[in-house]
Amino acid sequence: MTTGSEREDKGSAQSGVTRRAFLKGAGLSAAAAAGIAAGTGVLDSALAATPPLQVVGPGRRPITLNVNGSERRLEVEPSATLLDVVRGQLDLIGAKRVCDRGSCGACTMLVDGRPINSCTYLAIDAEGKRVTTVEGLAAPGAPLTRLQQAFIECDALQCGFCTPGMVMACTALLARNPSPARPEIAAAIAGNLCRCGTYQNIFEAVELAARRGAGGGR
Amino acid sequence: MAANTSEIKIRVGFGDSFRDLTVRIAEGDVPPYEPGTRFDVIGAAAPRLDAEAKVTGSARFTYDQNLPGLLHGKILRCPHPNANVKSVDLTAARAMPGVKAAISFPEVFRTEAVRFAWEGIAAVAAESEAQAEAALRAIAVEYEVLPFCVTREDAMKDGAPQVGRRNQQNVRRIYPEIPFTRDGTIDEKKEAARQVEMREAEAKVDRILKESDTVVQGTFYTQVQTHSPLETHGVVCTWENESLVCYCSTQATFAVRHELTHHQGPVRATNARVLCEYVGGGFGAKFGAGREGVAGALLAKAAGRPVKVMLDRREEHTTTGNRPDSHQVLAMAVAKTGEIRALRARSWGTAGTSPAGAGAHNDVMYELGEIDKIEYGVRTNANDARPLRAPGFPQGVFALEAMMDIAAASIGMDPIEFRKKNDAHPVRRAEYDIACERIGWAAKRGAPAVPRGGADGGRGVGPLRRGVGCASSLWFASGGGGAKVLVRVHKNGTVEVRNGAQDIGTGTRTILGMVVAEELGIRLADVATFIGDTNDPAGPGSGGSTTAPTLTPAARVAAHRAKRQLLDAVARAEGWDAGNLDLRGGKVVGRDGAALAREIDFRAACGLIAEDQIEVLGERPVLDKDHPNYGGLADTNAGVQCAEVEVDVETGLVRVLKVVAVADAGKLINPKLAESQVRGGVIQGVSYALYERRIMDRIEGRMVNADFEFYKILGAVDCPEIEVVLLDVFMGHNNTHVMGLGEPPVVATAAAVANAVAHAIGVRIHSLPITPRKVLAALAGEEVRG
């Protein structure tokens, strides 16, 4: 059982395919849209503030993604998720598709430093932003981050399938809160499921890294 | 093996209590470690060897195999819970964009029967996942749709739809087992004799129940739990002529290989290499290639290109096995003095379309007196059972341990005192005291339920009620034969350890390296360990906690023989007596560990090897086919857990605050990894106790919550504090004293949590998971089953 995570909501003005634009573009009847808007109030003003609808696709579209500090020119389907593009085209396989709907966190990447579920984040929405995957934390042969080192020392992994997502969520946590209390650590990974049962080891690893002054660095 | 054995004296025990034991060991075996041995590598909390690969994301799982020219395979699923497939037409699908191959399951698996919703019907491979999914929609299937039942209650009703085919009845006795003849019919003569035995046991227990001081009874229900490994089942297959290379997310590489090469199987590869360097969890569900594996192999062959088939989350929940549910009715006769006189147990469980595996082990652990036990498996139109971490135990022990508490209360005895009175296990007896002390049993059981004045005057504050509960465990794994470990000591001083079995996250790779490093007197870092490749020597499936006790003795034998050969080479070169030499601290030393006149380090010693390398294939020693292991301290390992919970009596929400888990698994090779295993077992146990439940829609016949939003597994914010106490036990059984620790820690947890909840709120909830609704109903004097 988990509570809501601290993930960024998906959608941005970059591609124009925001949730708000989708509501309009999906041909909802005015009455239905008004019904939703009337219910929320917030959506009403959001709809008014939405930039003009931009159609993306059909067909592949060239984009440039900044992944782990390097600019990558790619051609992607507008519907392709950031996860599938990074895994399939860049062969960065740390992030995993586990639930495919943003409920397990195994696909966690950082976009402009904030953790997102890359399985529900369109690749085209990542244009112009800094994408960091687990492979971007420490280059091959370079020293690991203090957090990664602490994960190893605290045995904060078993099968290892959730581990990249956990490492990314905890990296983001330490960047914004260098000495988190245990409930704050639990909240930071509330959206990351582990089936082997490594949570307590992860708490200990984050605490160890924090004591050593990790703050996301080496 | 076997015929040649020799008698030796070993020492078994733990803590400060050891005794001599005379045992027979197989020829070629090495005497087990002696208590008091100073270990250099074993017993150290070394980080697991694959930790770096896992924290950097470079560990490449089956799901991560991006082979050149890779196609994506998808499986068409049947929406009907019970049907016969009349026809499958792939013509249109084959013509869809990007499609390179398509297969029909009734053809491949030679059955038209579909007996649960989401069973596979056909599969296609295409250039992209989206193209494969589009092609599935173009497959035309004609079904004969049949009536169905998806719950145990419905399947047991008079006139319920028949789940199976031919003469298969929905309800079948599974214990005592029905004797079958070779042609699959019931052996009536043997069955008649069994009926007599059952009636005798029933009569005997009847008598004891009538004459007993106290009889307690209880009816218990547990839910269906799915394995939910994060990496779903799947394969990446590629062919080189008739030879198949199959990356498979599995916990049994060799079983998968066998399945794919079997001459009567659907794939029949002339040769197959199964690779599984990393697997994202299995928990008992991944012992075979599965239909998805077969589909991957056949699609790759038909397309002439590599194919990846990985299940999605819905497929994983609905087609890859589960822990069956249970309905258990127990009665226990107890003497006023605390001895259990008899146990009666009747249980029904549904394991899906097959009745196998639906038993609940509710007659274990304690000295229970006369036992009268009958179990039934119930067929339903739902996915079958597969072993799930300690199959049959968490559900059976939940009921048994509830009965232990109820019985103790009925005679006014402390629950732990009552257990100790009926428990002969030497290790568990010690563990009760440790668990009690660590959880603060005496003070917490004695405190009143409602606070007196302050926050710490009782077991709660405001609507929050605290309670503690206890339960124990056992397991049987001392390993078996059939495994070999290859050790190579190269002339340049490098050491290589190879076994083709897999590491499912337990640390198999690491402890293999540790056992070899210890034997060769070198550091773990000096040993390269290779696993998960069926081109390497045979290893076991990782089931029943048998991997560690099967492989570590083989590794030790191989390393020991390699060491003797190396020391022979040294002795020859130096003119020394090899019998007086040993390896320790990276050097050649005297038998007693003393330094030698001339110092030779390990690498220099390796330079003296005449050939390029020493290569030893060490076989797992076994006494004989039926008795792989020798005697020991006890037949089983033990374990005691105590849980402390806090229940909100206004909302019904249960929080597990703390679990103390006292565990043992023979000799601990790496206590850090052992502790992780126990913590993981406890977490899965709490998750089972409070959150997890497969929900079937009785109208549509499908699983409603086949995802991770509504199939709840325990998350970080629900994680209790877990205090693990590990006992290092010189168990006997095999040359490393190692027993497995996969299953044991999950056996007791749900029972301990349930007992703690009963203590906290003063009423017992007889069914899992313990949801807020059930807590509120119980407080209102009602009972909710499901």
Side-chain angles (χ1 to χ4, degrees), chain B residues 200-453:
Chain B
E200 282 171 3
E202 188 170 23
K204 212 181 273 179
V205 168
D206 260 343
R207 210 160 42 242
I208 299 171
L209 291 174
K210 275 203 195 88
E211 292 165 0
S212 175
D213 298 337
T214 309
V215 173
V216 292
Q217 305 189 40
T219 300
F220 304 90
Y221 302 90
T222 63
Q223 76 280 36
V224 172
Q225 177 186 31
T226 68
H227 300 71
S228 296
L230 292 200
E231 183 182 33
T232 58
H233 285 64
V235 294
V236 174
C237 292
T238 181
W239 290 80
E240 291 155 16
N241 301 320
E242 286 303 296
S243 193
L244 169 65
V245 177
C246 174
Y247 297 86
C248 184
S249 181
T250 181
Q251 51 195 107
T253 49
F254 289 95
V256 172
R257 187 190 181 283
H258 176 72
E259 202 175 327
L260 297 175
T261 54
H262 194 280
H263 68 283
Q264 288 176 325
V267 178
R268 296 188 295 279
T270 310
N271 189 24
R273 179 182 187 187
V274 175
L275 294 160
C276 182
E277 196 178 2
Y278 301 99
V279 50
F283 312 112
K286 290 183 178 169
F287 287 113
R291 289 186 161 196
E292 58 280 356
V294 169
L298 293 179
L299 288 169
K301 192 165 195 185
R305 279 169 60 178
V307 171
K308 179 189 283 189
V309 180
M310 296 299 296
L311 301 187
D312 66 20
R313 187 51 51 190
R314 168 165 290 272
E315 293 174 305
E316 184 68 25
H317 272 306
T318 51
T319 71
T320 65
N322 57 67
R323 183 190 298 288
D325 72 1
S326 74
H327 168 196
Q328 304 170 61
V329 182
L330 301 185
M332 188 184 269
V334 189
K336 275 202 187 81
T337 46
E339 291 85 9
I340 301 169
R341 300 284 192 224
L343 178 80
R344 166 164 295 156
R346 297 287 180 272
S347 71
W348 297 263
T350 182
T353 62
S354 159
H361 298 295
N362 47 25
D363 60 340
V364 292
M365 225 124 56
Y366 303 109
E367 308 293 316
L368 295 166
E370 287 294 332
I371 294 175
D372 162 30
K373 176 181 159 88
I374 304 176
E375 290 177 319
Y376 299 91
V378 182
R379 292 179 208 269
T380 51
N381 292 108
N383 185 217
D384 285 327
R386 289 186 191 174
L388 205 181
R389 209 168 181 177
F393 278 82
Q395 57 265 53
V397 167
F398 160 67
L400 173 64
E401 292 285 18
M403 292 295 286
M404 294 298 285
D405 270 24
I406 296 166
S410 76
I411 55 167
M413 193 178 268
D414 174 78
I416 288 186
E417 281 313 306
F418 180 62
R419 283 172 174 79
K420 282 164 87 170
K421 188 130 202 156
N422 293 288
D423 194 340
H425 198 292
V427 183
R428 209 160 39 234
R429 289 183 66 82
E431 290 174 334
Y432 286 115
D433 294 337
I434 301 169
C436 268
E437 193 237 311
R438 298 293 174 103
I439 201 80
W441 182 266
K444 284 169 180 163
R445 282 303 282 208
V450 283
R452 281 177 306 218

Side-chain angles (χ1 to χ4, degrees), chain B residues 176-197:
Chain B
E177 233 174 290
I178 297 174
F180 284 97
T181 58
R182 278 190 180 186
D183 61 15
T185 57
I186 296 173
D187 185 330
E188 297 295 349
K189 207 166 150 193
K190 278 193 189 156
E191 172 61 9
R194 202 149 289 179
Q195 297 264 6
V196 171
E197 288 166 23

Side-chain angles (χ1 to χ4, degrees), chain A residues 1-3 83-84 87-89 91-101 103-104 106 134-135 137-138 142 144 148-149 151-164 167 182-183 185-187 189-190 192-201 203-204, chain B residues 47-48 50-52 54-61 63-64 66 74 129 225-232 279-281 283 308 313 389 504-505 653 672-673 676-677 679-681 683-684 687 691-692 707-709 711-723:
Chain A
M1 200 157 99
T2 57
T3 60
L83 176 70
D84 286 352
R87 287 181 53 87
Q89 295 197 36
D91 198 34
L92 297 172
I93 46 91
K96 311 293 188 216
R97 187 202 291 171
V98 167
C99 70
D100 206 17
R101 52 204 290 170
S103 54
C104 78
V134 70
E135 291 88 349
L137 297 181
L144 303 181
Q148 287 173 315
Q149 190 56 41
F151 260 65
I152 295 173
E153 288 173 39
C154 297
D155 200 37
L157 52 111
Q158 288 185 34
C159 81
F161 212 69
C162 74
T163 311
V167 168
R182 197 163 275 207
I185 304 171
I189 58 168
N192 293 70
L193 293 176
C194 167
R195 187 50 158 170
C196 298
T198 60
Y199 300 117
Q200 193 170 335
N201 302 60
F203 300 156
E204 290 161 2
Chain B
R48 58 182 79 216
D50 49 16
E52 183 167 332
K54 288 174 177 174
V55 300
T56 56
S58 63
R60 203 173 273 274
F61 294 76
Y63 165 59
D64 300 324
N66 282 342
K74 294 277 175 190
E129 286 186 81
Q225 177 186 31
T226 68
H227 300 71
S228 296
L230 292 200
E231 183 182 33
T232 58
V279 50
F283 312 112
K308 179 189 283 189
R313 187 51 51 190
R389 209 168 181 177
I504 60 172
L653 195 69
K672 186 81 191 163
L673 304 194
S676 292
Q677 276 297 109
R679 286 178 171 188
I683 283 173
Q684 287 187 1
S687 192
Y691 307 126
E692 295 182 42
D707 51 45
F708 274 150
E709 294 105 285
Y711 187 92
K712 299 289 190 188
I713 68 172
L714 183 143
V717 292
D718 308 301
C719 185
E721 179 194 346
I722 304 164
E723 183 177 341

Side-chain angles (χ1 to χ4, degrees), chain A residues 203-214:
Chain A
F203 300 156
E204 290 161 2
V206 173
E207 286 162 356
L208 176 63
R211 278 202 301 281
R212 290 174 178 170

